[in-house]
Amino acid sequence: MAATSGTPTGSPAPGSDPVLIDVEQPPGPASERSPNTVLLAVGLAYLVAVAVFMTYDIQGSLSFALELRAKKLLAMTLVGTGLATAAVLFHTMTGNRILTPVLIGLDSLYILIQSVSVAFFGALTFVSFDERIRFAVAVAIMVAFVLVLDAIFLRRAVTDLPLLVLGGIVLGGMFTSLAALVIRLIDPNEFLILEDLLFASFTLVNEELLVISGVVIAVGLALVARVRRTLDVIALGRPTAISLGADYDRVNRRLIVLIAVLVAVPTALVGPVTFLGLLASNATYELTRSFRHHVTVPISSLAAATLLIAAQFVLEELLDFATRPSIIVGFVGGIVFIVLVLREVR
Amino acid sequence: MTPAVATGERRRGSRILGSAAALAVVLFVVSIFIGASSASLADVIRDEGAARTIFVESRLPRSIAIVLAGASIAVAGAIMQALTQNRFVAPSTAGTTEAAILGVALVTVVSPASAVGYKMVVATVFALGGTLLFVWLIQRVRSRDIIVVPLIGIMLGAVMQSIAWFIALRFSFLQSLYAWLIGDFSGTIAGRYELLYVVGAAGVIAYVFADRFTLAGVGRDFSVNVGLNYDRTIVGGMVLVSIVAGITVVVVGTIPFWGLIVPNLASLLVGDNQRRLLPIVAAVGAAGLLAGDILARTIRYPAEVPVGTIIGVLGGLTFLYLLIRSRS
């Protein structure tokens, strides 16, 4: 309904803008790698990362170390899978590969939720709440936010990218400035606890939540697998998809819910890891030159997990826990993104 | 454009400028007489109690600082938009603000005891570096795309912010960094805001060169054709923007979206001619920030809310509304 009124007569449809980087870009003639080769290579990289991460420099109790590291690995794999899949789906929905669900302000919203909770309940009280409840509330608020946003203007924004991007930047800015006010009011000792919640950390993850998140993300992946062919058609853009018989608007409306869940669950589990999905999915497009979901979803999920493991490893072994993995990912991810755009747009 | 239309537009422009400026003057007067302690005009004239001291040391400096910051941040945004020919480029979407923040974070670690002036110079130099890097990047991309250009700026900003956050986390001053980032005039007293006059001067210089920025925005070939030194104009414009961004970030903090909202609002009203646009941008910027600060001081009277938060929320909502309206 709203989607049909989204393209104003007179101005060209956003999808036809030649400078936008479309997912459906024709494969470059130079690099014709088979997707299977790439999948094998990325899978191998993941296994190597897992092996090194599990076995490197174990001191003390072997079983304790292995259990701890396995939990971290599972968390990183889940987070990587969720965020990378959400990014790929978002690209499919918007027909643009440089966007990320983070742009609609979800990370900032998470930071706001955590800051307000700590300010309202007090850090110690808040941290002593049942972790499952904190997790469920954060996920619910984030998903509800996306649904409200969708109802207000996202549906039109999908066909109107500038609106989507700017709306997201502005919403993110609003959440950040509210969070900054709350953070200013918090007692410095309490802030130290909040600080732990604001940056993704894999060191202490609740086992039960890990299982719950695993189930949710697995269900999401199963859904994606079931409709992967429809998604391939959706990625061709609205006019083509409709002429090929896909119910473009209905699928997109469901897709946004799935994307919201796939971003909200990892974020509520460990904290925001901005740019991870964007980075992994774009690396995948570069390597495979494919936009078919049975190729891009598994490869970018594995790539994201591998990146996280590598960042965590560098952090633990080389930087001696000097910072947070999300800061490393943000730094590297931003640079890689800029390089990608520089190469693509020219 | 026929002369009649041009005259009509000009008249409309002057009318808008007149009302915005009048509004700014009224709000300036209101702003002076609002505060936790009473200082009425009569008390100030009779020099009763601390009234005159409050007036001279706190009220007047605060209102002047708001006018200078509000007007010049908005003008800086307008210059960037003219130079890049992109409505959505502003110090906050071009890496400028984040670069200034990174500069301040570095100074805080390297020489924490340094004077405010020194911090400002570092912040300005960093802001300039970040902005020039952005300009270099978008020229290489050669894209005028309305999304790609600000998105590059946002990513550049994210990279610099992650370095700043790294430093702040490492040296445990993340909370103070957050606190200091929100624009706030409650600490503005005589002796602590005077560097903002430099920012005001940058705004005036920008007005003088407004036509050149418009020309340079059209592109290198065109500007060289009409006899403009393109590179010097771009760098000159970005130096002005960086001075504004660097100094205001240190003295005031950040005012979210200000360089984005005000010029867009103004160009909705009067179109894109820079020479006509800039005075209106300055007047609307000053009036808007005065209004925001008055609200910040009265909403929880006698306590204050930082004006950065007020602008972040109300300005954000206004901008969203404009955005949705302009596209439907």
Side-chain angles (χ1 to χ4, degrees):
Chain A
M1 32 165 273
T4 43
S5 64
T7 314
T9 46
S11 71
S16 67
D17 195 333
V19 256
L20 286 185
I21 308 154
D22 289 328
V23 177
E24 62 265 33
Q25 211 170 40
S31 58
E32 285 294 340
R33 281 188 208 90
S34 137
N36 284 336
T37 321
V38 179
L39 181 61
L40 201 67
V42 177
L44 253 154
Y46 174 73
L47 288 179
V48 169
V50 168
V52 172
F53 190 83
M54 284 298 278
T55 53
Y56 186 83
D57 194 24
I58 291 183
Q59 288 161 350
S61 159
L62 184 68
S63 61
F64 175 77
L66 287 182
E67 199 195 320
L68 186 70
R69 289 180 186 197
K71 258 198 283 180
K72 280 193 219 171
L73 270 179
L74 186 57
M76 288 187 281
T77 307
L78 284 178
V79 169
T81 306
L83 294 178
T85 309
V88 170
L89 295 180
F90 201 67
H91 297 156
T92 301
M93 199 177 99
T94 56
N96 187 305
R97 58 177 266 193
I98 56 174
L99 296 176
T100 149
V102 169
L103 274 178
I104 48 182
L106 279 176
D107 281 8
S108 326
L109 178 61
Y110 175 80
I111 290 175
L112 180 62
I113 297 171
Q114 302 304 316
S115 325
V116 170
S117 310
V118 166
F120 190 76
F121 298 108
L124 286 174
T125 321
F126 180 60
V127 173
S128 68
F129 283 169
D130 190 335
E131 271 189 88
R132 285 169 302 184
I133 294 175
R134 284 195 281 149
F135 175 82
V137 169
V139 170
I141 293 179
M142 281 189 274
V143 173
F145 165 72
V146 174
L147 293 182
V148 171
L149 205 61
D150 179 52
I152 296 174
F153 78 110
L154 205 59
R155 232 170 266 174
R156 188 174 56 197
V158 168
T159 54
D160 189 352
L161 286 176
L163 179 61
L164 179 65
V165 174
L166 283 157
I169 294 169
V170 171
L171 283 169
M174 279 168 60
F175 294 145
T176 307
S177 55
L178 278 174
L181 172 66
V182 175
I183 286 173
R184 187 182 210 173
L185 301 174
I186 291 174
D187 179 274
N189 293 318
E190 307 226 312
F191 181 74
L192 288 180
I193 298 176
L194 178 61
E195 207 176 79
D196 273 336
L197 301 170
L198 295 188
F199 293 96
S201 155
F202 299 93
T203 353
L204 283 171
V205 181
N206 180 305
E207 273 173 54
E208 218 175 326
L209 292 184
L210 211 51
V211 175
I212 297 173
S213 307
V215 171
V216 173
I217 290 172
V219 170
L221 278 182
L223 282 174
V224 173
R226 222 174 55 134
V227 296
R228 63 184 186 278
R229 292 200 179 81
T230 316
L231 293 177
D232 291 346
V233 175
I234 297 288
L236 297 172
R238 192 162 188 276
T240 320
I242 290 178
S243 73
L244 286 174
D247 192 348
Y248 185 86
D249 297 327
R250 201 175 60 108
V251 174
N252 260 353
R253 232 167 288 150
R254 295 186 178 177
L255 215 47
I256 188 73
V257 181
L258 185 57
I259 292 170
V261 172
L262 285 177
V263 176
V265 166
T267 308
L269 182 68
V270 297
V273 196
T274 315
F275 301 139
L276 179 68
L278 185 71
L279 189 59
S281 55
N282 272 292
T284 306
Y285 304 142
E286 282 288 306
L287 288 173
T288 61
R289 302 258 160 203
S290 170
F291 64 91
R292 309 272 314 262
H293 289 76
H294 72 272
V295 174
T296 51
V297 170
I299 293 182
S300 54
S301 300
L302 280 172
T306 313
L307 278 170
L308 265 185
I309 297 170
Q312 182 75 19
F313 181 76
V314 168
L315 188 69
E316 289 183 11
E317 304 299 340
L318 305 178
L319 294 177
D320 199 20
F321 287 101
T323 190
R324 304 303 177 93
S326 59
I327 289 186
I328 300 182
V329 172
F331 179 71
V332 178
I335 291 175
V336 171
F337 172 85
I338 292 171
V339 172
L340 270 176
V341 176
L342 279 180
R343 278 181 39 198
E344 257 340 286
V345 183
R346 269 196 295 171
Chain B
M1 191 190 289
T2 61
V5 174
T7 325
E9 261 185 27
R10 196 168 304 140
R11 212 172 287 149
R12 189 171 129 79
S14 331
R15 212 171 50 231
I16 292 170
L17 176 60
S19 23
L23 185 64
V25 171
V26 171
L27 289 170
F28 184 84
V29 174
V30 173
S31 163
I32 291 177
F33 291 103
I34 286 182
S37 55
S38 72
S40 70
L41 190 58
D43 288 346
V44 172
I45 292 168
R46 276 180 286 153
D47 199 7
E48 205 143 298
R52 193 173 283 179
T53 316
I54 290 173
F55 188 80
V56 175
E57 295 284 321
S58 160
R59 296 291 171 74
L60 209 52
R62 179 172 188 153
S63 300
I64 293 173
I66 296 167
V67 168
L68 288 172
S72 51
I73 295 172
V75 166
I79 299 171
M80 288 191 103
Q81 283 141 34
L83 283 177
T84 56
Q85 291 279 288
N86 190 311
R87 280 183 296 140
F88 301 131
V89 173
S92 53
T93 56
T96 312
T97 310
E98 287 82 359
I101 293 168
L102 174 59
V104 175
L106 276 174
V107 178
T108 312
V109 171
V110 176
S111 56
S114 58
V116 180
Y118 178 69
K119 279 187 185 161
M120 266 179 248
V121 172
V122 175
T124 305
V125 169
F126 268 78
L128 183 60
T131 316
L132 290 181
L133 187 57
F134 170 73
V135 170
W136 181 77
L137 285 172
I138 61 169
Q139 282 179 348
R140 286 191 49 146
V141 169
R142 280 178 218 184
S143 165
R144 287 284 175 85
D145 187 87
I146 195 97
I147 317 173
V148 171
V149 170
L151 210 55
I152 292 176
I154 290 169
M155 289 295 173
L156 186 64
V159 171
M160 288 188 283
Q161 178 163 315
S162 70
I163 306 175
W165 264 205
F166 173 81
I167 297 170
L169 262 179
R170 194 93 178 101
F171 295 90
S172 308
F173 63 94
L174 187 63
Q175 190 180 16
S176 22
L177 195 63
Y178 258 109
W180 158 86
L181 273 182
I182 333 174
D184 185 9
F185 289 95
S186 59
T188 312
I189 49 168
R192 280 225 212 144
Y193 79 102
E194 282 76 1
L195 279 151
L196 284 177
Y197 283 114
V198 178
V199 167
V204 174
I205 296 173
Y207 176 67
V208 174
F209 291 104
D211 291 343
R212 297 188 192 195
F213 296 142
T214 313
L215 282 181
V218 178
R220 177 190 292 269
D221 294 344
F222 178 80
S223 0
V224 173
N225 250 339
V226 296
L228 183 77
N229 187 329
Y230 178 78
D231 292 320
R232 207 188 288 165
T233 311
I234 295 273
V235 172
M238 293 309 177
V239 168
L240 287 176
V241 168
S242 306
I243 290 174
V244 171
I247 294 181
T248 51
V249 156
V250 173
V251 181
V252 181
T254 58
I255 311 288
F257 318 123
W258 205 238
L260 201 62
I261 304 171
V262 179
N264 274 296
L265 197 66
S267 70
L268 268 185
L269 295 173
V270 291
D272 283 332
N273 180 322
Q274 286 295 307
R275 196 172 276 283
R276 216 177 303 152
L277 188 65
L278 284 186
I280 295 177
V281 166
V284 173
L289 201 57
L290 281 167
D293 190 65
I294 290 172
L295 192 61
R297 279 191 275 175
T298 46
I299 202 168
R300 287 190 56 213
Y301 186 85
E304 282 194 26
V305 175
V307 66
T309 310
I310 300 278
I311 299 292
V313 175
L314 291 185
L317 287 176
T318 314
F319 193 64
L320 276 183
Y321 171 74
L322 283 179
L323 211 61
I324 293 174
R325 214 196 58 164
S326 71
R327 309 205 139 254
S328 55

